[in-house]
């Protein structure tokens, strides 16, 4: 908009300068020509008294040479034949006999162009005998255009100064209009990126001030709405504590045994997750980790929040192995016999593993075998969960958040938990066909945020693409 204003002002000023400077220059040129010929007429009139007294060639020559134009050899006198006297010609003349005869005939001053440049003024003068003599004055081109070039240069300079000044003024005015608009756009980008403290100074033209006031009011309302949502999530989560307390008390009556221990462990984990949801919901900043989806502390992932992936996988497989044994599922573990450190908090990795293993039990028939593999690729750690089930017909749709595929007991959020764990380290989530014939869920966990492409480097990350569209055909 700033350059548009400058261009408009430049065009308008240029048109105004042309509209006034060109006619003014032409007037100056015409005035210079009139001045030159007026001076020639005055010089021609100086020889008039002599012609009224005598037509003697000697006297006339002396009179002509005594004038300014005669001394400069720019005056000629043409006297016609009077009686028996021959015509008298003083000076050579420049216009020609035809022009002299025409001036004598019409009886008024005329001008004629001279070959080689310049003009000639022909001034008729009455003689005592009643005849007409013609006084000719040569006017060079330099006198006709005297001062015209200077006038044009002055006009051009004034016009250029006006154009430059108008452009400078337009640029300042444009900047005054554009800066508030740029600040408004920048604040909108910041708000879109999650910086909820972005506000716009209420300055500039009236319209932009109104826009700034409206934007600030909208930002305040967004912050208030988010705060209300956090409080609502915290309140709803808090309501779960009462039934959880009842469950915890009831598990005390289950006695001893693997099933009872697993039930009590599940209730304790659920209580921790509810506490995490409440704490995360009440935070005054957006969650950077699993934000209520994972178990444990939630929040960001860093060097101090790492864990041993092998140890977490062994622990969670110990939990799920009892159910696998009940359903007759064959389980294979690989790569968990050595320490594999990853920059993911233990509760978050446990939540991701539970989401993937829960999908296996929910969406494959009983007796379907599955496997969990861990590979250390140096700059990344790959966790594979494979099964021999029917597989996923549309992996892209499965990665869309909230897409439960019409399955009972599925929310479509499980794979989104896994994806967010991977992407928090610079990695990604992919779905494919496993060597067992069913689904393979590959979690690429980057170490120190360095790895983003996975094997092959240039492959498209379905997890990243799906994050823009929403995810999850499995729970």
């Amino acid at each position: 908009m700033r350059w548009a204003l400058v261009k408009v002002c430049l065009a308008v000023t240029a048109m105004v300068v042309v509209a006034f400077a060109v006619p003014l220059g032409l007037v100056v040129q015409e005035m210079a020509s009139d001045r030159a010929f007026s001076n020639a007429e005055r010089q021609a009139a100086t020889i008039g008294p002599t012609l009224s007294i005598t037509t003697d060639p000697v006297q006339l020559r002396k009179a002509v040479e005594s004038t300014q134009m005669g001394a400069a050899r720019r005056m000629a006198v043409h006297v016609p034949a009077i009686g028996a006297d021959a015509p008298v010609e003083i000076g050579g003349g420049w216009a020609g006999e035809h022009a002299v005869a025409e001036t004598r005939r019409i009886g008024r001053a005329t001008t004629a162009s001279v070959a080689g440049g310049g003009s000639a003024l022909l001034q008729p003068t009455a003689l005592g005998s009643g005849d007409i003599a013609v006084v000719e004055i040569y006017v060079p081109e330099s006198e006709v255009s005297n001062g015209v070039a200077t006038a044009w240069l002055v006009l051009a300079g004034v016009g250029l100064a006006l154009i430059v000044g108008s452009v400078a003024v337009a640029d300042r005015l444009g900047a005054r209009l554009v800066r508030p608009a740029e600040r408004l756009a920048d604040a909108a980008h910041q708000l879109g990126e999650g910086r909820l403290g972005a506000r716009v100074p209420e300055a500039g033209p009236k319209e932009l001030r109104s826009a700034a006031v409206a934007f600030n009011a909208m930002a305040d309302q967004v912050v208030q709405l988010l705060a209300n949502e956090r409080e609502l999530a915290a309140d709803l989560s808090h309501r779960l504590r009462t039934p959880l307390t009842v469950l915890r008390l009831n598990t005390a009556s289950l006695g001893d045994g693997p099933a009872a221990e697993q039930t009590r462990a599940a209730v304790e984990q659920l209580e921790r997750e509810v506490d995490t949801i409440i704490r995360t919901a009440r935070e005054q900043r957006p969650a950077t980790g699993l934000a209520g989806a994972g178990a444990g502390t939630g929040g960001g992932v860093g060097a101090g929040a790492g864990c041993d992936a092998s140890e977490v996988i062994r622990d969670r497989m110990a939990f799920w192995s009892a159910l696998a044994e009940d359903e007759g599922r064959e389980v294979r573990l690989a790569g968990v016999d050595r320490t594999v450190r990853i920059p993911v908090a233990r509760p978050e990795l446990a939540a991701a593993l539970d989401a993937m293993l829960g999908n296996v039990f929910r969406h494959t028939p009983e007796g379907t075998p599955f496997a969990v593999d861990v590979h250390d690729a140096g700059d990344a750690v790959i966790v594979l969960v494979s099964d021999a089930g029917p597989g996923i017909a549309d992996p892209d749709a499965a990665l869309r958040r909230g897409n439960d595929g019409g399955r009972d007991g599925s929310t479509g959020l499980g794979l989104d938990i896994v994806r967010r764990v991977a992407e928090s380290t610079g990695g990604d989530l992919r779905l494919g066909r496993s060597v067992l014939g069913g689904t393979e869920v590959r979690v690429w966990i980057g170490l120190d945020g360095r790895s983003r492409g996975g094997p092959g480097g240039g492959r498209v990350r379905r997890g990243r693409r799906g994050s823009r569209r929403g995810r999850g055909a499995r729970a």
Side-chain angles (χ1 to χ4, degrees), residues 32-394:
S33 177
D34 291 343
R35 183 174 62 248
F37 282 104
S38 296
N39 182 56
E41 289 179 355
R42 289 194 301 270
Q43 293 294 327
T46 59
I47 201 67
T50 303
L51 286 174
S52 63
I53 297 173
T54 180
T55 58
D56 180 62
V58 177
Q59 298 295 327
L60 287 177
R61 190 175 300 277
K62 290 181 179 180
V64 169
E65 290 176 353
S66 64
T67 63
Q68 179 183 354
M69 291 297 177
R73 299 185 181 278
R74 290 169 51 188
M75 178 185 288
V77 178
H78 307 280
V79 181
I82 302 174
D85 296 335
V88 177
E89 296 288 339
I90 307 297
W94 297 270
E97 295 181 358
H98 177 74
V100 173
E102 183 66 19
T103 301
R104 186 178 288 123
R105 184 184 67 82
I106 62 178
R108 66 173 181 270
T110 61
T111 58
S113 298
V114 176
S119 303
L121 174 68
L122 302 172
Q123 179 69 45
T125 302
L127 300 176
S129 61
D131 294 308
I132 301 296
V134 176
V135 180
E136 184 178 356
I137 304 296
Y138 173 66
V139 182
E141 188 65 30
S142 59
E143 285 193 7
V144 175
S145 59
N146 183 30
V148 174
T150 303
W152 278 108
L153 288 175
V154 171
L155 290 174
V158 172
L160 183 61
L162 288 174
I163 291 175
V164 172
S166 65
V167 169
V169 172
D171 182 68
R172 292 299 90 202
L173 292 176
R176 183 172 176 268
L177 293 174
V178 168
R179 276 198 204 96
E182 290 177 343
R183 288 196 294 263
L184 183 61
D186 182 62
H189 287 304
Q190 293 182 36
L191 189 64
E193 293 171 356
R195 285 176 276 180
L196 302 181
R199 296 296 184 272
V200 184
E202 297 173 3
K206 179 181 177 181
E207 294 78 7
L208 291 177
R209 287 200 305 272
S210 300
V213 171
F215 176 86
N216 292 338
M218 178 196 69
D220 293 338
Q221 187 174 9
V222 168
V223 172
Q224 184 62 41
L225 288 174
L226 290 177
N228 293 340
E229 290 292 333
R230 286 193 295 268
E231 291 300 323
L232 178 60
D235 292 343
L236 293 177
S237 301
H238 192 273
R239 295 181 185 180
L240 296 176
R241 283 182 169 175
T242 300
L244 282 175
T245 302
V246 175
L247 286 175
R248 182 165 52 82
L249 294 175
N250 289 340
T251 56
S253 63
L254 295 178
D256 297 329
E261 291 298 329
Q262 289 180 0
T263 302
R264 282 190 282 270
V267 171
E268 291 176 359
Q269 180 182 354
L270 186 56
E271 286 182 327
R272 290 195 299 270
E273 290 180 348
V274 169
D275 291 340
T276 299
I277 293 174
I278 294 174
R279 286 194 300 269
T280 303
R282 291 186 181 275
E283 286 182 354
Q284 297 303 312
R285 58 174 178 81
T288 57
L290 293 181
T297 60
V301 177
C307 68
D308 179 4
S310 298
E311 191 273 332
V312 176
I313 292 174
R314 289 195 301 267
D315 178 72
R316 298 318 300 158
M317 287 304 298
F319 174 82
W320 289 97
S321 60
L323 182 58
E325 183 178 353
D326 291 342
E327 294 187 358
R329 297 176 182 268
E330 180 183 349
V331 182
R332 181 179 63 84
L333 278 177
V336 297
D337 53 349
R338 62 186 183 279
T339 300
V340 180
R341 299 294 302 181
I342 59 174
V344 176
R346 175 190 175 92
E348 295 177 0
L349 179 60
L353 289 170
D354 287 344
M356 291 187 287
L357 295 174
N359 278 340
V360 173
F361 283 90
R362 275 192 294 269
H363 304 304
T364 61
E366 293 187 8
T368 301
F370 66 94
V372 179
D373 300 281
V374 179
H375 300 280
D376 189 350
D379 61 348
V381 172
I382 303 172
V383 178
L384 300 176
V385 177
S386 309
D387 63 59
I392 299 177
D394 190 351

